[in-house]
Amino acid sequence: MQNIIHLGMKFKKKKPSLTREKVLSLIKKELPNEKVLYATKEELIEILKNERKEKFLLEFERLNNQTLEEKIKEVLEFIEFIAQKLSKKQAIIALQTGLSLLNKNRKNCIIEAKNALKEDGIYGIKTKASLHEACKNYNSRVIKKYILKAVLNNIIFDTKNDENVDTAKLLKNIKLSLEEKI
């Protein structure tokens, strides 16, 4: 017998659920075939949760055990990536802005490297010292997040009055491409 639809009938809306296929597609590459084939949906979800937790803990441990040189290298690689997306000068300005934000835009700090930087796009002695000082106190991910904030902030100020540039679209594209490197 077929289901007949009558006028005025109300249908229950199905909530989109996490199907077995969706879970499989997420973890298929990292499990042996027999585990994927015979695992229940709940087991696969538990495997996925444990995998994400493990990745988080490994990243947390990596960030906490970074040496000063590793932090500086990682931040400079991030700046190079920004330079490929925007320009070298904008990338250095973002670094300077981000470090100044991280140091709360101090003006008269006893430690010279913690004072706000002049945003001139030149990677000079003061910028190097400020980066070195920031890497002493923060992990590379925190510094890169502040640099990302600076990039987005600078894009807004540079393009807000330009009618030829879709600022919202530009922000979205840059944010998506840079967040994957953080």
Side-chain angles (χ1 to χ4, degrees), residues 83-96:
Q84 292 171 358
K85 297 286 180 189
L86 302 173
S87 72
K88 184 178 179 181
K89 184 175 182 175
Q90 287 178 315
I92 300 299
I93 289 172
L95 172 65
Q96 292 167 331

Side-chain angles (χ1 to χ4, degrees), residues 85-86 90 148 151-152 154-160 162 164-178:
K85 297 286 180 189
L86 302 173
Q90 287 178 315
L148 175 62
V151 167
L152 299 176
N154 291 343
I155 287 173
I156 290 170
F157 281 111
D158 291 345
T159 63
K160 67 181 178 181
D162 191 348
N164 299 324
V165 178
D166 185 358
T167 303
K169 184 177 178 182
L170 182 61
L171 285 172
K172 181 181 175 187
N173 292 339
I174 294 294
K175 185 175 181 186
L176 286 175
S177 66
L178 294 181

Side-chain angles (χ1 to χ4, degrees), residues 14-28 36 39-46 48:
K14 291 184 179 180
K15 295 180 182 177
S17 62
L18 185 60
T19 64
R20 183 179 175 118
E21 289 75 27
K22 287 180 185 176
V23 174
L24 285 173
S25 69
L26 293 172
I27 61 176
K28 199 172 193 177
V36 172
T40 64
K41 179 177 162 181
E42 290 77 21
E43 288 173 331
L44 292 173
I45 291 172
E46 191 62 34
L48 184 60

Side-chain angles (χ1 to χ4, degrees), residues 141-157:
R141 188 161 193 234
V142 171
I143 297 168
K144 291 191 295 186
K145 281 186 175 187
Y146 273 87
I147 294 169
L148 175 62
K149 287 179 184 181
V151 167
L152 299 176
N153 186 48
N154 291 343
I155 287 173
I156 290 170
F157 281 111

Side-chain angles (χ1 to χ4, degrees), residues 80 102 131:
E80 287 176 19
L102 191 61
L131 176 59

